[in-house]
Amino acid sequence: MSEEPKANQPRQAHVNSEADAHQKMVRGSAWMTAGSLFSRILGVIYIIPWMIWLGNNAQQGNALYAKGYNIYSFFLLVAIGGIPSAISKQISEYNAINEYGVGQRLFKRGLLLTTALGILSGSILWFAAKPIGFVFGGGDPNVIPVLRALAIALVIIPSMSLTRGFFQGYQQMAPSAISQFVEQVFRVIYLLGATYFIMRVQNGDWVNAITQSTFAAFVGAAASFLLLGVYYYRQRPELNRLAAQSDAKLAIPVWQLFRDIIIQAIPFIVIDTAITVFNLLDQATFQPIMQVTFHTKVAVINDLYALFAFNANKLVMIIVSLASAIAVTVVPLLSESLAAHNMRNIRKQLEDAFTLFLFIMIPGALGMAAVAQPLNTLFYGYSQSGTMILEVSAFTAIVLGLFTVASALMQGLSRNRDIIRFYLIGLGVKLLVQWPCIYFLTAAGPLVATAIGMLVASLMALYDLEVNFGVRYVKLLPKVNRILIFSILTYIAAVLVVHGLNLVMNEQSKTQAFVIVMLAVAVGGAVYVYFALRSRLADLMIGERANGLRRKLRIK
C-alpha cells in the first residue's frame, strides 16, 4: 500500500499541471478581457459628445479619422513589429527552463530596439505623410496633418507595448489590462477636451479638431507607459531574485538576442497587421470601385465609407478585442507546453482556447446584431443604412475574432510559416471577391469580402492544428451546440425587447435608444447568464466562482 502514492505521483503532478495551466488561462483571459472590454467601451462612449460637437461635419470627420487611423495602425504594427508577442513567447520559454536572467536581458535589449523602431517609423510617417495620404487617403489633403499628429505617438508606443509583452511573459496580465484602460482614459479626456475647445469655444475648424483627436493617442500612450514603469519598478526586487536563482547555463551574446527578437517578430508583424491590411485594401479600393461602377460623388462615398470603416468598426471591435484578449493569454502558455514537449497540455489548451473564444464571441456578436438599430441611433443617429451595416459587421466579427485566435495559437506553437501562408491565401481570396461584393452589396461589400477571406484562412489554420496537434473538434461539439443555442435564445430575447419597445418609444431619439439598448442588453444578458450557469458552461470562464453564483441565484 505504501507504494501506491508514489506510483500516483507523476499522474497527480500531471493533473495539477493541467489544472494550473487552465487556471492561468482563465485568470489571464479574465484580466485581458476586462481590460480590453472597458478600454473599447470607453473608446466608443466618447463618440456621442464628439459627434455632437463636430456638428454637420461629423460623418466627414469620421471618414477622415478612419483614413488616418488605418494608415497609422499599419505603421504602428510594423513599428512594434510583433516584438511584444515575440518577447512574451521567448520570456515564457526561458522562464520555463529557469533562465530568468536571459529573459530580463532580452527585455532590456528589446527596449533599445523598439526605441529605434519608434523613432524611425514616426519619422517616416511624418515626412512621407503627403504621398502616403495621396495613395491611401483618396488624395484628401486633410489626411496629412492627421498622419503627422499620429506620427508623434509612434515614437513611444513600441516601447510601451514591449513592456506589456514582458509582463505577459510572466503570465501577469493585470499590468497590461490596467495600462490599456489608463491609456484609453487619458486619450479620451484629451480628445474630448480638445474637440470641445476647438469647436465650441473657438468655433474652429473641424479638421483641426480631428487632428487633435488623433494626437490624443500620444497622450494616452504616455500615461500608460508611465504606469507600466511604476509596475516594473515595484517588481524589481522579485525580478532580481528570480534572475539570481536562475540556472545561468545559457550565455547568449547581445547580437544573438537581437537576431532572435527579429526572427521571432517577423511572423507576428505579418499576422498582427492582417486586419489592418484588409482595412487598408478597403480604403484604397472602395472609392475607385464606387466611382467607376456607380459614378458616385466623393462626399457620398466618404459617408458610405464612414458607415463601415469607422461607425460599425468602432463598435464591433469591442467584441473582436475579446478574442484578442484570449489570444494574448494563450500564447505564453502554449510556448511553455511546447518547450516541455507536453502534447497533452497543448491539445487541452487549444481546446480550452477555442471554447473560451466561442463562449464570449458568439453571444457578443449576436447580441450586438440584435440591438444594432438602437445602438447605431445612440452613437451616430437614426439610419437604416447604418443599422444594416452594423448588423452585417457584427456577424462578420465572429470570423475576424476566429482568425485572431487561430493565428495566435499557431504562432504560440511556432507554426509561423504556415499561418503566414494561410493569411496570404485569405488575402488573395479577399482581392478576388472585393469587386463583386462591392458591386452587389455596396457599403456592406468590403465587410463580406473580408469575412470570406478571413474564413478561408481560419479554416486552413484549424485543419493544421487538428492534423499536427490532435485537436479534437468533435469533442467540442456538445459545448459548441449549447453555446449556439443559448446565443440564439439571447438574440431572440434582445430582438423582442427592441421591437416591443420601438412600438411605444421613439426609435429615432438618442435618449430613448439608450433605454432600449440597456433593457435589451439586460434581458439578453440575463438569458445567456442563466443558461450558461445552469449548463456549467460558465465554469470555463470564472471557475469555482460559478458555484457561488448558482447558489445566490438559486440555479440548480
Side-chain angles (χ1 to χ4, degrees):
M1 295 292 288
S2 60
E3 293 299 320
E4 188 175 338
K6 292 181 182 179
N8 285 335
Q9 279 177 2
R11 175 174 175 79
Q12 186 61 44
H14 176 75
V15 171
N16 290 340
S17 173
E18 282 192 358
D20 290 344
H22 179 73
Q23 286 303 312
K24 283 181 181 179
M25 186 185 298
V26 170
R27 285 196 303 270
S29 294
W31 270 111
M32 295 305 292
T33 299
S36 296
L37 184 60
F38 287 127
S39 297
R40 291 288 182 179
I41 289 173
L42 189 60
V44 295
I45 287 176
Y46 82 83
I47 292 172
I48 299 173
W50 191 66
M51 292 275 289
I52 293 171
W53 296 336
L54 287 173
N56 294 330
N57 299 300
Q59 279 295 83
Q60 295 294 313
N62 287 351
L64 177 60
Y65 189 98
K67 289 176 182 178
Y69 243 89
N70 282 338
I71 296 168
Y72 159 76
S73 295
F74 179 79
F75 270 79
L76 178 61
L77 289 167
V78 172
I80 293 174
I83 289 175
S85 298
I87 289 286
S88 170
K89 180 174 180 286
Q90 286 182 282
I91 286 175
S92 295
E93 291 173 356
Y94 287 129
N95 290 354
I97 58 174
N98 197 35
E99 289 288 354
Y100 290 90
V102 176
Q104 290 175 34
R105 283 183 63 215
L106 187 68
F107 168 61
K108 292 171 184 177
R109 299 299 182 270
L111 279 177
L112 296 175
L113 185 61
T114 51
T115 300
L117 284 171
I119 294 171
L120 177 64
S121 59
S123 300
I124 292 172
L125 186 58
W126 179 281
F127 291 109
K130 189 172 182 178
I132 292 170
F134 178 79
V135 174
F136 292 103
D140 187 353
N142 294 329
V143 175
I144 297 170
V146 169
L147 292 180
R148 287 180 174 161
L150 289 164
I152 301 170
L154 274 177
V155 176
I156 65 167
I157 288 182
S159 296
M160 177 203 71
S161 299
L162 174 78
T163 309
R164 286 178 180 168
F166 173 76
F167 285 113
Q168 289 163 15
Y170 281 80
Q171 283 85 51
Q172 294 184 26
M173 302 300 168
S176 288
I178 295 171
S179 70
Q180 280 181 21
F181 183 69
V182 168
E183 178 183 5
Q184 197 70 279
V185 167
F186 278 84
R187 187 182 78 87
V188 168
I189 289 173
Y190 181 86
L191 180 151
L192 289 178
T195 303
Y196 180 82
F197 182 76
I198 292 168
M199 298 303 295
R200 292 304 170 98
V201 177
Q202 292 187 324
N203 293 318
D205 179 29
W206 67 272
V207 175
N208 187 27
I210 299 298
T211 302
Q212 290 302 314
S213 295
T214 52
F215 177 75
F218 169 79
V219 177
S224 173
F225 203 7
L226 182 63
L227 178 65
L228 289 167
V230 171
Y231 271 112
Y232 182 80
Y233 180 78
R234 287 180 177 176
Q235 295 198 24
R236 279 183 66 190
E238 176 63 15
L239 294 172
N240 291 338
R241 184 190 68 78
L242 290 170
Q245 59 88 47
S246 297
D247 290 343
K249 293 178 181 178
L250 295 179
I252 303 176
V254 174
W255 67 267
Q256 189 175 332
L257 287 175
F258 277 120
R259 188 198 67 182
D260 290 346
I261 291 172
I262 293 169
I263 289 173
Q264 289 283 342
I266 288 173
F268 284 95
I269 296 175
V270 178
I271 299 305
D272 287 354
T273 57
I275 293 177
T276 303
V277 168
F278 275 62
N279 290 338
L280 281 174
L281 182 61
D282 292 336
Q283 190 164 310
T285 61
F286 184 69
Q287 180 172 320
I289 290 175
M290 290 293 291
Q291 285 179 318
V292 170
T293 307
F294 301 108
H295 308 290
T296 313
K297 294 180 180 179
V298 173
V300 176
I301 294 173
N302 280 338
D303 285 345
L304 292 173
Y305 178 77
L307 287 180
F308 72 86
F310 181 91
N311 296 15
N313 186 63
K314 271 283 184 182
L315 296 172
V316 299
M317 286 308 292
I318 295 174
I319 354 175
V320 175
S321 70
L322 303 183
S324 301
I326 296 170
V328 166
T329 304
V330 174
V331 169
L333 293 174
L334 283 172
S335 298
E336 280 187 6
S337 298
L338 190 64
H341 305 289
N342 191 333
M343 293 299 292
R344 182 171 175 175
N345 252 12
I346 289 173
R347 185 170 62 249
K348 180 72 166 58
Q349 287 162 7
L350 290 172
E351 291 169 357
D352 284 349
F354 282 120
T355 307
L356 284 170
F357 161 72
L358 295 171
F359 181 83
I360 296 171
M361 194 76 199
I362 293 180
L366 266 63
M368 182 166 286
V371 299
Q373 182 265 315
L375 191 64
N376 188 75
T377 301
L378 174 62
F379 285 99
Y380 307 112
Y382 181 78
S383 166
Q384 292 183 347
S385 298
T387 297
M388 184 271 292
I389 294 296
L390 182 54
E391 286 176 345
V392 173
S393 195
F395 287 114
T396 59
I398 297 174
V399 181
L400 298 186
L402 179 61
F403 177 80
T404 301
V405 171
S407 60
L409 298 178
M410 292 279 286
Q411 288 172 296
L413 295 168
S414 299
R415 305 287 297 173
N416 297 325
R417 290 183 181 179
D418 297 281
I419 190 59
I420 289 173
R421 186 173 76 253
F422 302 154
Y423 156 62
L424 292 175
I425 292 171
L427 184 60
V429 172
K430 157 84 169 172
L431 282 166
L432 286 174
V433 302
Q434 180 82 340
W435 184 86
C437 283
I438 293 176
Y439 179 81
F440 288 107
L441 302 170
T442 60
L447 297 173
V448 175
T450 294
I452 293 170
M454 287 286 191
L455 182 61
V456 170
S458 300
L459 292 175
M460 295 176 77
L462 294 178
Y463 179 73
D464 185 275
L465 292 172
E466 180 182 27
V467 170
N468 292 289
F469 298 97
V471 179
R472 293 169 292 196
Y473 298 114
V474 175
K475 179 183 174 183
L476 303 180
L477 279 179
K479 292 177 183 175
V480 173
N481 288 336
R482 278 183 285 169
I483 290 171
L484 280 171
I485 292 169
F486 302 158
S487 299
I488 291 169
L489 291 173
T490 299
Y491 174 83
I492 292 170
V495 166
L496 288 174
V497 172
V498 170
H499 286 287
L501 291 175
N502 279 341
L503 296 174
V504 296
M505 300 179 76
N506 181 5
E507 62 182 4
Q508 299 187 25
S509 163
K510 283 180 176 285
T511 305
Q512 295 185 45
F514 173 76
V515 175
I516 294 170
V517 169
M518 290 297 102
L519 290 174
V521 168
V523 172
V527 169
Y528 191 73
V529 168
Y530 172 79
F531 285 112
L533 286 170
R534 185 171 181 177
S535 66
R536 283 12 184 208
L537 274 175
D539 298 43
L540 290 170
M541 277 299 297
I542 59 177
E544 292 297 321
R545 282 174 291 181
N547 290 326
L549 284 173
R550 277 190 285 269
R551 284 194 298 271
K552 289 179 182 178
L553 299 173
R554 296 180 182 178
I555 298 173
K556 294 182 179 179

